[in-house]
Amino acid sequence: MTRYEVKPQQVAEFQKALGNYVSSALANQNNIMAEAYYEQDKPSILWVIERWNSKKHLDAFEKNEQAQTVTALSKKALAKTTKEYLLKDLEPLNKEQWRKASKKEDKQIVIMLFVDAKAGTQQNFKDTYHTAMPQFRSEPGVVTYQLSEIEGDGTHFVTYEKFRGQDAFQYHLNFPPIQPVIDYLNTSIEGQPFQNGLHTLIEFAPMTRE
């Protein structure tokens, strides 16, 4: 997962380059998923979220033309240094599940929540999500839901939550199985309130729909 903060005057050009990157990645047999987003409240912040069969396959892909175009453009278009996150999915999905798409009539939104757990509480966080995850994924408005550990000291996590629209997200916030998660977030993470870690993302590539 990669975060790009782009100079405003070059956002359109950078979005085009990332769109080409995503399309090329999805065509690669070793890719599981690839999507590109901008932040709803900060359109100059772009994200590429991708999964590969191995880090080796990602490294090989980054030598191709579309990846090299993004690298070259980054040298002049970025306002800040690129931030890369290596993730370990804690509730794994297969390729078909990752590529499940919203419907054409949906007004899809994606929510990412970054969580810095207090040391010693991280297993409680993982256990709480492990219990709730099947129920979250069964919600009618959920397309994809994942919890991942960010590579590091074991206390940093990110959720990836794809909903069919704002109403589906509001339903999720009022869904009874979420309460133990909310209780944890309100008591056992660094940097309260936990809402500071929320990012609402709008997809611009590949925009695949059912």
Side-chain angles (χ1 to χ4, degrees):
M1 185 169 72
T2 309
R3 178 188 186 274
Y4 302 91
E5 185 165 345
V6 183
K7 297 174 183 176
Q9 65 271 25
Q10 293 185 286
V11 167
E13 182 182 9
F14 210 87
Q15 280 195 7
K16 181 178 179 181
L18 291 183
N20 291 336
Y21 175 97
V22 165
S23 296
S24 181
L26 290 170
N28 189 295
Q29 64 180 353
N30 294 304
N31 176 265
I32 297 171
M33 62 86 76
E35 300 167 349
Y37 296 88
Y38 64 86
E39 293 205 6
Q40 179 174 271
D41 297 329
K42 298 178 181 178
S44 61
I45 296 180
L46 311 180
W47 292 87
V48 169
I49 301 171
E50 56 192 320
R51 280 165 174 79
W52 293 80
N53 287 330
S54 72
K55 182 65 163 56
K56 178 182 69 175
H57 292 123
L58 172 59
D59 291 342
F61 177 76
E62 289 180 340
K63 298 176 183 177
N64 85 350
E65 179 182 353
Q66 289 76 22
Q68 289 297 309
T69 296
V70 172
T71 299
L73 188 57
S74 295
K75 295 177 181 178
K76 65 175 183 178
L78 297 186
K80 292 185 178 179
T81 304
T82 299
K83 175 68 174 176
E84 295 184 349
Y85 301 84
L86 294 180
L87 307 178
K88 175 185 178 182
D89 291 337
L90 300 179
E91 304 290 336
L93 297 169
N94 61 35
K95 184 173 182 175
E96 181 181 5
Q97 291 169 320
W98 269 118
R99 294 199 179 191
K100 182 181 178 182
S102 297
K103 299 182 183 298
K104 291 181 180 179
E105 63 269 23
D106 292 339
K107 297 181 180 179
Q108 175 185 287
I109 62 169
V110 169
I111 304 295
M112 285 198 310
L113 173 64
F114 286 87
V115 175
D116 292 341
K118 291 180 180 178
T121 72
Q122 59 265 44
Q123 189 59 49
N124 182 28
F125 180 63
K126 291 190 282 188
D127 291 344
T128 299
Y129 253 105
H130 179 72
T131 300
M133 189 66 76
Q135 298 173 87
F136 292 169
R137 287 175 173 169
S138 70
E139 292 176 52
V142 168
V143 181
T144 312
Y145 208 111
Q146 181 60 280
L147 171 66
S148 304
E149 182 180 323
I150 299 172
E151 186 177 83
D153 65 5
T155 63
H156 303 295
F157 303 88
V158 61
T159 67
Y160 171 91
E161 310 166 24
K162 183 185 289 187
F163 298 94
R164 297 192 182 280
Q166 187 64 38
D167 288 347
F169 179 48
Q170 290 302 317
Y171 177 93
H172 175 69
L173 294 178
N174 294 310
F175 192 42
I178 202 175
Q179 193 57 50
V181 175
I182 298 296
D183 291 344
Y184 175 89
L185 295 174
N186 281 328
T187 60
S188 302
I189 71 168
E190 306 287 354
Q192 295 288 350
F194 74 85
Q195 290 87 348
N196 290 339
L198 283 172
H199 299 257
T200 302
L201 306 182
I202 308 299
E203 185 182 19
F204 64 85
M207 293 296 290
T208 302
R209 296 292 185 267
E210 290 181 357

